[in-house]
Amino acid sequence: DGTLFIADVGQGQGSSTPAYEEVNVAEAGDNLGWSTMEGLICYDGQNCTADAEPGGYTTGNPSLRAPIANYTHGGGRCSITGLGVYRSCEVPGVDGRYFYADLCSGEIFSLAYDGTNVEEHGVVATTPNLAVYGGGTNAYGDVFVAAVPVQGGPGSVYRITASN
């Protein structure tokens, strides 16, 4: 549908700001807040009044567009990896969902965004002992996950499918 999803790796933890990873949607000319915002909050005392709804524009600076989802580095999380939007007909219930993962925790998340509302589905899968380095889609709309063992060794590519 032309929506541009961006998995944005946080700029790191500031002295008064926790580290956030975020998912943005962007249109031409959008300012996603770097280096003023981290997730939905102002970064290290910056004056941005980041009280926007997810995906909306902040009231303190209407040129800043807030992310549609974000998470902190708790629970072993460290860096977001964008995977893609599911468009395959194999699992109709997830059509249009954006999938993303965390490099360190191996968790895979999904969300649905209709241009206004965000429905977060949280962790939908885990890849124990694997670091998720990338992903993508094929011509059929399937979403793939590229991961390597945390302990080293060759990586693999996995396709997101329905669970049994």
Side-chain angles (χ1 to χ4, degrees):
D1 67 0
T3 302
L4 175 62
F5 290 90
I6 301 169
D8 182 5
V9 175
Q11 58 193 334
Q13 186 167 339
S15 61
S16 63
T17 309
Y20 281 90
E21 306 301 308
E22 59 189 64
V23 176
N24 294 283
V25 292
E27 297 174 6
D30 275 347
N31 177 345
L32 301 179
W34 193 90
S35 64
T36 306
M37 293 174 62
E38 181 80 349
L40 289 169
I41 63 173
C42 299
Y43 185 73
D44 255 1
Q46 298 274 341
N47 185 17
C48 66
T49 317
D51 57 354
E53 293 295 318
Y57 294 91
T58 65
T59 57
N61 183 344
S63 70
L64 297 177
R65 186 163 187 178
I68 61 170
N70 69 138
Y71 65 87
T72 64
H73 285 190
R77 298 171 179 168
C78 72
S79 179
I80 193 169
T81 304
L83 302 175
V85 177
Y86 189 89
R87 297 283 183 208
S88 178
C89 60
E90 186 176 330
V91 189
V94 298
D95 183 49
R97 283 193 197 177
Y98 177 68
F99 286 85
Y100 56 103
D102 189 84
L103 170 71
C104 296
S105 71
E107 296 167 308
I108 298 173
F109 309 84
S110 79
L111 61 79
Y113 180 67
D114 66 7
T116 304
N117 300 302
V118 178
E119 180 185 351
E120 293 189 58
H121 299 102
V123 177
V124 296
T126 58
T127 57
N129 302 311
L130 295 175
V132 178
Y133 277 95
T137 59
N138 65 9
Y140 300 107
D142 297 305
V143 175
F144 293 87
V145 179
V148 298
V150 173
Q151 304 301 324
S156 298
V157 176
Y158 303 90
R159 182 169 58 99
I160 293 178
T161 63
S163 62
N164 295 332

mmCIF file of all heavy atoms in Angstrom, residues 98-143:
data_model
loop_
_atom_site.group_PDB
_atom_site.id
_atom_site.type_symbol
_atom_site.label_atom_id
_atom_site.label_comp_id
_atom_site.label_asym_id
_atom_site.label_seq_id
_atom_site.Cartn_x
_atom_site.Cartn_y
_atom_site.Cartn_z
ATOM 1 N N TYR A 98 3.519 -5.830 9.941
ATOM 2 C CA TYR A 98 4.944 -5.558 9.835
ATOM 3 C C TYR A 98 5.661 -6.403 10.885
ATOM 4 O O TYR A 98 5.266 -6.416 12.053
ATOM 5 C CB TYR A 98 5.223 -4.071 10.082
ATOM 6 C CG TYR A 98 6.690 -3.730 10.064
ATOM 7 C CD1 TYR A 98 7.425 -3.807 8.887
ATOM 8 C CD2 TYR A 98 7.341 -3.340 11.216
ATOM 9 C CE1 TYR A 98 8.775 -3.504 8.872
ATOM 10 C CE2 TYR A 98 8.688 -3.020 11.209
ATOM 11 C CZ TYR A 98 9.400 -3.109 10.025
ATOM 12 O OH TYR A 98 10.744 -2.806 10.016
ATOM 13 N N PHE A 99 6.701 -7.116 10.473
ATOM 14 C CA PHE A 99 7.487 -7.956 11.376
ATOM 15 C C PHE A 99 8.858 -7.330 11.593
ATOM 16 O O PHE A 99 9.462 -6.809 10.654
ATOM 17 C CB PHE A 99 7.648 -9.371 10.802
ATOM 18 C CG PHE A 99 6.403 -10.192 10.885
ATOM 19 C CD1 PHE A 99 5.434 -10.110 9.897
ATOM 20 C CD2 PHE A 99 6.187 -11.043 11.957
ATOM 21 C CE1 PHE A 99 4.278 -10.871 9.976
ATOM 22 C CE2 PHE A 99 5.024 -11.803 12.050
ATOM 23 C CZ PHE A 99 4.069 -11.711 11.052
ATOM 24 N N TYR A 100 9.311 -7.404 12.834
ATOM 25 C CA TYR A 100 10.635 -6.920 13.190
ATOM 26 C C TYR A 100 11.163 -7.786 14.318
ATOM 27 O O TYR A 100 10.418 -8.521 14.950
ATOM 28 C CB TYR A 100 10.623 -5.436 13.562
ATOM 29 C CG TYR A 100 9.673 -5.052 14.676
ATOM 30 C CD1 TYR A 100 10.134 -4.805 15.962
ATOM 31 C CD2 TYR A 100 8.313 -4.896 14.443
ATOM 32 C CE1 TYR A 100 9.272 -4.433 16.983
ATOM 33 C CE2 TYR A 100 7.434 -4.524 15.448
ATOM 34 C CZ TYR A 100 7.920 -4.296 16.721
ATOM 35 O OH TYR A 100 7.056 -3.928 17.721
ATOM 36 N N ALA A 101 12.472 -7.731 14.544
ATOM 37 C CA ALA A 101 13.095 -8.610 15.532
ATOM 38 C C ALA A 101 14.132 -7.835 16.322
ATOM 39 O O ALA A 101 14.510 -6.724 15.959
ATOM 40 C CB ALA A 101 13.746 -9.798 14.826
ATOM 41 N N ASP A 102 14.593 -8.441 17.405
ATOM 42 C CA ASP A 102 15.705 -7.870 18.156
ATOM 43 C C ASP A 102 16.934 -8.753 17.953
ATOM 44 O O ASP A 102 16.860 -9.975 18.127
ATOM 45 C CB ASP A 102 15.380 -7.739 19.645
ATOM 46 C CG ASP A 102 16.462 -6.951 20.359
ATOM 47 O OD1 ASP A 102 16.388 -5.705 20.332
ATOM 48 O OD2 ASP A 102 17.398 -7.574 20.897
ATOM 49 N N LEU A 103 18.038 -8.124 17.611
ATOM 50 C CA LEU A 103 19.289 -8.826 17.339
ATOM 51 C C LEU A 103 19.720 -9.702 18.507
ATOM 52 O O LEU A 103 20.089 -10.861 18.325
ATOM 53 C CB LEU A 103 20.388 -7.809 17.014
ATOM 54 C CG LEU A 103 21.813 -8.345 16.929
ATOM 55 C CD1 LEU A 103 21.988 -9.203 15.693
ATOM 56 C CD2 LEU A 103 22.813 -7.211 16.938
ATOM 57 N N CYS A 104 19.706 -9.153 19.712
ATOM 58 C CA CYS A 104 20.265 -9.859 20.876
ATOM 59 C C CYS A 104 19.316 -10.844 21.525
ATOM 60 O O CYS A 104 19.719 -11.935 21.915
ATOM 61 C CB CYS A 104 20.744 -8.845 21.908
ATOM 62 S SG CYS A 104 22.097 -7.824 21.299
ATOM 63 N N SER A 105 18.038 -10.488 21.661
ATOM 64 C CA SER A 105 17.102 -11.382 22.348
ATOM 65 C C SER A 105 16.557 -12.461 21.415
ATOM 66 O O SER A 105 16.054 -13.478 21.886
ATOM 67 C CB SER A 105 15.937 -10.591 22.941
ATOM 68 O OG SER A 105 15.084 -10.109 21.911
ATOM 69 N N GLY A 106 16.623 -12.246 20.106
ATOM 70 C CA GLY A 106 16.069 -13.206 19.162
ATOM 71 C C GLY A 106 14.555 -13.189 19.090
ATOM 72 O O GLY A 106 13.951 -14.022 18.424
ATOM 73 N N GLU A 107 13.919 -12.227 19.744
ATOM 74 C CA GLU A 107 12.457 -12.130 19.710
ATOM 75 C C GLU A 107 12.009 -11.542 18.369
ATOM 76 O O GLU A 107 12.657 -10.652 17.826
ATOM 77 C CB GLU A 107 11.959 -11.227 20.828
ATOM 78 C CG GLU A 107 12.252 -11.754 22.215
ATOM 79 C CD GLU A 107 12.024 -10.709 23.282
ATOM 80 O OE1 GLU A 107 12.581 -9.589 23.162
ATOM 81 O OE2 GLU A 107 11.299 -11.008 24.240
ATOM 82 N N ILE A 108 10.889 -12.054 17.880
ATOM 83 C CA ILE A 108 10.267 -11.524 16.671
ATOM 84 C C ILE A 108 8.919 -10.942 17.068
ATOM 85 O O ILE A 108 8.137 -11.585 17.773
ATOM 86 C CB ILE A 108 10.107 -12.612 15.596
ATOM 87 C CG1 ILE A 108 11.493 -13.142 15.203
ATOM 88 C CG2 ILE A 108 9.359 -12.074 14.381
ATOM 89 C CD1 ILE A 108 11.455 -14.340 14.280
ATOM 90 N N PHE A 109 8.660 -9.723 16.633
ATOM 91 C CA PHE A 109 7.444 -8.981 16.978
ATOM 92 C C PHE A 109 6.646 -8.720 15.694
ATOM 93 O O PHE A 109 7.192 -8.758 14.597
ATOM 94 C CB PHE A 109 7.783 -7.608 17.567
ATOM 95 C CG PHE A 109 8.778 -7.622 18.684
ATOM 96 C CD1 PHE A 109 10.147 -7.639 18.425
ATOM 97 C CD2 PHE A 109 8.362 -7.580 20.013
ATOM 98 C CE1 PHE A 109 11.068 -7.619 19.459
ATOM 99 C CE2 PHE A 109 9.288 -7.557 21.047
ATOM 100 C CZ PHE A 109 10.640 -7.585 20.765
ATOM 101 N N SER A 110 5.371 -8.399 15.859
ATOM 102 C CA SER A 110 4.599 -7.917 14.716
ATOM 103 C C SER A 110 3.629 -6.842 15.185
ATOM 104 O O SER A 110 3.284 -6.759 16.368
ATOM 105 C CB SER A 110 3.849 -9.055 14.014
ATOM 106 O OG SER A 110 2.672 -9.416 14.696
ATOM 107 N N LEU A 111 3.246 -6.028 14.223
ATOM 108 C CA LEU A 111 2.237 -5.007 14.484
ATOM 109 C C LEU A 111 1.445 -4.771 13.214
ATOM 110 O O LEU A 111 1.905 -5.082 12.109
ATOM 111 C CB LEU A 111 2.868 -3.708 14.999
ATOM 112 C CG LEU A 111 3.868 -2.945 14.130
ATOM 113 C CD1 LEU A 111 3.196 -2.114 13.051
ATOM 114 C CD2 LEU A 111 4.707 -2.027 15.008
ATOM 115 N N ALA A 112 0.243 -4.259 13.392
ATOM 116 C CA ALA A 112 -0.596 -3.844 12.272
ATOM 117 C C ALA A 112 -0.789 -2.339 12.384
ATOM 118 O O ALA A 112 -1.000 -1.817 13.480
ATOM 119 C CB ALA A 112 -1.940 -4.564 12.311
ATOM 120 N N TYR A 113 -0.687 -1.658 11.260
ATOM 121 C CA TYR A 113 -0.842 -0.202 11.240
ATOM 122 C C TYR A 113 -1.725 0.159 10.056
ATOM 123 O O TYR A 113 -1.430 -0.216 8.919
ATOM 124 C CB TYR A 113 0.533 0.459 11.105
ATOM 125 C CG TYR A 113 0.504 1.961 11.064
ATOM 126 C CD1 TYR A 113 0.128 2.697 12.177
ATOM 127 C CD2 TYR A 113 0.868 2.644 9.913
ATOM 128 C CE1 TYR A 113 0.104 4.082 12.148
ATOM 129 C CE2 TYR A 113 0.851 4.030 9.876
ATOM 130 C CZ TYR A 113 0.465 4.740 10.990
ATOM 131 O OH TYR A 113 0.449 6.117 10.952
ATOM 132 N N ASP A 114 -2.822 0.879 10.332
ATOM 133 C CA ASP A 114 -3.750 1.226 9.262
ATOM 134 C C ASP A 114 -3.618 2.675 8.800
ATOM 135 O O ASP A 114 -4.494 3.203 8.122
ATOM 136 C CB ASP A 114 -5.192 0.941 9.692
ATOM 137 C CG ASP A 114 -5.675 1.830 10.822
ATOM 138 O OD1 ASP A 114 -4.965 2.775 11.231
ATOM 139 O OD2 ASP A 114 -6.792 1.573 11.324
ATOM 140 N N GLY A 115 -2.528 3.316 9.162
ATOM 141 C CA GLY A 115 -2.327 4.721 8.814
ATOM 142 C C GLY A 115 -2.679 5.649 9.956
ATOM 143 O O GLY A 115 -2.279 6.803 9.975
ATOM 144 N N THR A 116 -3.430 5.141 10.923
ATOM 145 C CA THR A 116 -3.806 5.923 12.096
ATOM 146 C C THR A 116 -3.599 5.129 13.376
ATOM 147 O O THR A 116 -3.013 5.617 14.328
ATOM 148 C CB THR A 116 -5.296 6.342 12.017
ATOM 149 O OG1 THR A 116 -5.505 7.046 10.790
ATOM 150 C CG2 THR A 116 -5.681 7.220 13.183
ATOM 151 N N ASN A 117 -4.099 3.921 13.411
ATOM 152 C CA ASN A 117 -4.063 3.095 14.617
ATOM 153 C C ASN A 117 -3.002 2.003 14.520
ATOM 154 O O ASN A 117 -2.802 1.420 13.451
ATOM 155 C CB ASN A 117 -5.428 2.441 14.848
ATOM 156 C CG ASN A 117 -6.512 3.475 15.012
ATOM 157 O OD1 ASN A 117 -6.445 4.323 15.891
ATOM 158 N ND2 ASN A 117 -7.516 3.422 14.149
ATOM 159 N N VAL A 118 -2.375 1.744 15.660
ATOM 160 C CA VAL A 118 -1.370 0.694 15.758
ATOM 161 C C VAL A 118 -1.922 -0.410 16.654
ATOM 162 O O VAL A 118 -2.414 -0.141 17.749
ATOM 163 C CB VAL A 118 -0.059 1.231 16.382
ATOM 164 C CG1 VAL A 118 0.964 0.124 16.515
ATOM 165 C CG2 VAL A 118 0.487 2.389 15.578
ATOM 166 N N GLU A 119 -1.834 -1.632 16.177
ATOM 167 C CA GLU A 119 -2.190 -2.785 16.998
ATOM 168 C C GLU A 119 -0.925 -3.617 17.150
ATOM 169 O O GLU A 119 -0.490 -4.280 16.207
ATOM 170 C CB GLU A 119 -3.288 -3.617 16.332
ATOM 171 C CG GLU A 119 -3.692 -4.824 17.135
ATOM 172 C CD GLU A 119 -4.709 -5.709 16.409
ATOM 173 O OE1 GLU A 119 -5.230 -5.309 15.360
ATOM 174 O OE2 GLU A 119 -4.954 -6.816 16.922
ATOM 175 N N GLU A 120 -0.320 -3.535 18.335
ATOM 176 C CA GLU A 120 0.901 -4.289 18.585
ATOM 177 C C GLU A 120 0.537 -5.706 18.993
ATOM 178 O O GLU A 120 -0.326 -5.918 19.829
ATOM 179 C CB GLU A 120 1.740 -3.612 19.661
ATOM 180 C CG GLU A 120 2.297 -2.274 19.209
ATOM 181 C CD GLU A 120 3.291 -1.699 20.188
ATOM 182 O OE1 GLU A 120 4.293 -2.381 20.474
ATOM 183 O OE2 GLU A 120 3.045 -0.580 20.655
ATOM 184 N N HIS A 121 1.204 -6.684 18.400
ATOM 185 C CA HIS A 121 0.962 -8.087 18.719
ATOM 186 C C HIS A 121 2.035 -8.641 19.639
ATOM 187 O O HIS A 121 1.987 -9.803 20.008
ATOM 188 C CB HIS A 121 0.863 -8.908 17.434
ATOM 189 C CG HIS A 121 -0.249 -8.457 16.558
ATOM 190 N ND1 HIS A 121 -0.058 -7.680 15.437
ATOM 191 C CD2 HIS A 121 -1.584 -8.631 16.656
ATOM 192 C CE1 HIS A 121 -1.217 -7.415 14.888
ATOM 193 N NE2 HIS A 121 -2.166 -7.974 15.612
ATOM 194 N N GLY A 122 3.022 -7.822 19.995
ATOM 195 C CA GLY A 122 4.068 -8.250 20.908
ATOM 196 C C GLY A 122 4.969 -9.303 20.290
ATOM 197 O O GLY A 122 5.110 -9.396 19.073
ATOM 198 N N VAL A 123 5.558 -10.118 21.149
ATOM 199 C CA VAL A 123 6.461 -11.174 20.695
ATOM 200 C C VAL A 123 5.627 -12.291 20.089
ATOM 201 O O VAL A 123 4.786 -12.878 20.754
ATOM 202 C CB VAL A 123 7.323 -11.708 21.865
ATOM 203 C CG1 VAL A 123 8.197 -12.865 21.398
ATOM 204 C CG2 VAL A 123 8.167 -10.600 22.468
ATOM 205 N N VAL A 124 5.853 -12.586 18.812
ATOM 206 C CA VAL A 124 5.088 -13.630 18.128
ATOM 207 C C VAL A 124 5.924 -14.891 17.905
ATOM 208 O O VAL A 124 5.381 -15.946 17.563
ATOM 209 C CB VAL A 124 4.507 -13.128 16.791
ATOM 210 C CG1 VAL A 124 3.499 -12.012 17.039
ATOM 211 C CG2 VAL A 124 5.604 -12.676 15.835
ATOM 212 N N ALA A 125 7.236 -14.787 18.084
ATOM 213 C CA ALA A 125 8.123 -15.946 17.945
ATOM 214 C C ALA A 125 9.455 -15.615 18.596
ATOM 215 O O ALA A 125 9.777 -14.442 18.814
ATOM 216 C CB ALA A 125 8.335 -16.304 16.482
ATOM 217 N N THR A 126 10.210 -16.646 18.924
ATOM 218 C CA THR A 126 11.563 -16.443 19.437
ATOM 219 C C THR A 126 12.520 -17.337 18.657
ATOM 220 O O THR A 126 12.120 -18.378 18.134
ATOM 221 C CB THR A 126 11.676 -16.766 20.936
ATOM 222 O OG1 THR A 126 11.263 -18.118 21.144
ATOM 223 C CG2 THR A 126 10.819 -15.835 21.778
ATOM 224 N N THR A 127 13.747 -16.900 18.589
ATOM 225 C CA THR A 127 14.795 -17.677 17.926
ATOM 226 C C THR A 127 15.890 -17.914 18.960
ATOM 227 O O THR A 127 16.906 -17.231 18.976
ATOM 228 C CB THR A 127 15.347 -16.935 16.701
ATOM 229 O OG1 THR A 127 15.845 -15.656 17.113
ATOM 230 C CG2 THR A 127 14.278 -16.724 15.649
ATOM 231 N N PRO A 128 15.686 -18.883 19.853
ATOM 232 C CA PRO A 128 16.636 -19.116 20.942
ATOM 233 C C PRO A 128 18.051 -19.372 20.405
ATOM 234 O O PRO A 128 18.240 -20.121 19.448
ATOM 235 C CB PRO A 128 16.103 -20.360 21.644
ATOM 236 C CG PRO A 128 14.694 -20.489 21.203
ATOM 237 C CD PRO A 128 14.603 -19.847 19.855
ATOM 238 N N ASN A 129 19.012 -18.709 21.025
ATOM 239 C CA ASN A 129 20.429 -18.866 20.688
ATOM 240 C C ASN A 129 20.780 -18.427 19.277
ATOM 241 O O ASN A 129 21.803 -18.818 18.741
ATOM 242 C CB ASN A 129 20.899 -20.306 20.930
ATOM 243 C CG ASN A 129 20.669 -20.721 22.366
ATOM 244 O OD1 ASN A 129 21.029 -19.997 23.293
ATOM 245 N ND2 ASN A 129 20.040 -21.861 22.559
ATOM 246 N N LEU A 130 19.904 -17.619 18.658
ATOM 247 C CA LEU A 130 20.193 -17.076 17.336
ATOM 248 C C LEU A 130 20.158 -15.554 17.398
ATOM 249 O O LEU A 130 19.324 -14.971 18.081
ATOM 250 C CB LEU A 130 19.164 -17.549 16.304
ATOM 251 C CG LEU A 130 19.126 -19.035 15.982
ATOM 252 C CD1 LEU A 130 17.963 -19.336 15.038
ATOM 253 C CD2 LEU A 130 20.443 -19.488 15.364
ATOM 254 N N ALA A 131 21.063 -14.919 16.665
ATOM 255 C CA ALA A 131 21.063 -13.465 16.518
ATOM 256 C C ALA A 131 20.427 -13.132 15.169
ATOM 257 O O ALA A 131 20.866 -13.632 14.133
ATOM 258 C CB ALA A 131 22.491 -12.937 16.583
ATOM 259 N N VAL A 132 19.377 -12.322 15.187
ATOM 260 C CA VAL A 132 18.660 -11.961 13.962
ATOM 261 C C VAL A 132 19.351 -10.760 13.327
ATOM 262 O O VAL A 132 19.340 -9.667 13.879
ATOM 263 C CB VAL A 132 17.179 -11.651 14.257
ATOM 264 C CG1 VAL A 132 16.458 -11.240 12.988
ATOM 265 C CG2 VAL A 132 16.499 -12.857 14.902
ATOM 266 N N TYR A 133 19.953 -10.987 12.166
ATOM 267 C CA TYR A 133 20.709 -9.936 11.485
ATOM 268 C C TYR A 133 19.962 -9.260 10.354
ATOM 269 O O TYR A 133 20.351 -8.195 9.909
ATOM 270 C CB TYR A 133 22.023 -10.506 10.943
ATOM 271 C CG TYR A 133 23.100 -10.556 11.986
ATOM 272 C CD1 TYR A 133 23.323 -11.710 12.718
ATOM 273 C CD2 TYR A 133 23.874 -9.442 12.251
ATOM 274 C CE1 TYR A 133 24.299 -11.754 13.694
ATOM 275 C CE2 TYR A 133 24.857 -9.475 13.218
ATOM 276 C CZ TYR A 133 25.073 -10.635 13.935
ATOM 277 O OH TYR A 133 26.040 -10.666 14.904
ATOM 278 N N GLY A 134 18.924 -9.868 9.853
ATOM 279 C CA GLY A 134 18.213 -9.245 8.743
ATOM 280 C C GLY A 134 16.979 -10.025 8.371
ATOM 281 O O GLY A 134 16.631 -11.033 8.995
ATOM 282 N N GLY A 135 16.338 -9.547 7.339
ATOM 283 C CA GLY A 135 15.136 -10.187 6.855
ATOM 284 C C GLY A 135 14.733 -9.570 5.546
ATOM 285 O O GLY A 135 15.423 -8.710 4.995
ATOM 286 N N GLY A 136 13.628 -9.999 5.032
ATOM 287 C CA GLY A 136 13.131 -9.472 3.773
ATOM 288 C C GLY A 136 11.907 -10.235 3.336
ATOM 289 O O GLY A 136 11.381 -11.081 4.066
ATOM 290 N N THR A 137 11.466 -9.932 2.128
ATOM 291 C CA THR A 137 10.281 -10.567 1.567
ATOM 292 C C THR A 137 10.598 -11.093 0.173
ATOM 293 O O THR A 137 11.568 -10.668 -0.455
ATOM 294 C CB THR A 137 9.105 -9.574 1.479
ATOM 295 O OG1 THR A 137 9.494 -8.467 0.659
ATOM 296 C CG2 THR A 137 8.713 -9.066 2.851
ATOM 297 N N ASN A 138 9.755 -12.006 -0.307
ATOM 298 C CA ASN A 138 9.892 -12.477 -1.686
ATOM 299 C C ASN A 138 8.718 -11.970 -2.510
ATOM 300 O O ASN A 138 7.858 -11.233 -2.010
ATOM 301 C CB ASN A 138 10.028 -14.005 -1.735
ATOM 302 C CG ASN A 138 8.792 -14.740 -1.250
ATOM 303 O OD1 ASN A 138 7.743 -14.158 -1.010
ATOM 304 N ND2 ASN A 138 8.918 -16.053 -1.089
ATOM 305 N N ALA A 139 8.662 -12.366 -3.768
ATOM 306 C CA ALA A 139 7.614 -11.897 -4.681
ATOM 307 C C ALA A 139 6.226 -12.369 -4.270
ATOM 308 O O ALA A 139 5.221 -11.789 -4.686
ATOM 309 C CB ALA A 139 7.920 -12.365 -6.099
ATOM 310 N N TYR A 140 6.134 -13.413 -3.441
ATOM 311 C CA TYR A 140 4.847 -13.921 -2.974
ATOM 312 C C TYR A 140 4.364 -13.208 -1.714
ATOM 313 O O TYR A 140 3.267 -13.456 -1.245
ATOM 314 C CB TYR A 140 4.928 -15.426 -2.706
ATOM 315 C CG TYR A 140 5.296 -16.218 -3.935
ATOM 316 C CD1 TYR A 140 6.556 -16.780 -4.051
ATOM 317 C CD2 TYR A 140 4.400 -16.375 -4.980
ATOM 318 C CE1 TYR A 140 6.904 -17.499 -5.186
ATOM 319 C CE2 TYR A 140 4.737 -17.090 -6.117
ATOM 320 C CZ TYR A 140 5.998 -17.644 -6.212
ATOM 321 O OH TYR A 140 6.340 -18.347 -7.332
ATOM 322 N N GLY A 141 5.206 -12.378 -1.108
ATOM 323 C CA GLY A 141 4.827 -11.664 0.102
ATOM 324 C C GLY A 141 5.193 -12.361 1.393
ATOM 325 O O GLY A 141 4.793 -11.924 2.471
ATOM 326 N N ASP A 142 5.947 -13.472 1.294
ATOM 327 C CA ASP A 142 6.427 -14.141 2.501
ATOM 328 C C ASP A 142 7.494 -13.286 3.169
ATOM 329 O O ASP A 142 8.229 -12.556 2.498
ATOM 330 C CB ASP A 142 7.041 -15.502 2.152
ATOM 331 C CG ASP A 142 6.038 -16.465 1.551
ATOM 332 O OD1 ASP A 142 5.000 -16.692 2.188
ATOM 333 O OD2 ASP A 142 6.305 -16.980 0.451
ATOM 334 N N VAL A 143 7.615 -13.393 4.489
ATOM 335 C CA VAL A 143 8.641 -12.674 5.243
ATOM 336 C C VAL A 143 9.680 -13.686 5.708
ATOM 337 O O VAL A 143 9.340 -14.763 6.194
ATOM 338 C CB VAL A 143 8.038 -11.918 6.450
ATOM 339 C CG1 VAL A 143 9.125 -11.275 7.294
ATOM 340 C CG2 VAL A 143 7.043 -10.860 5.969
#
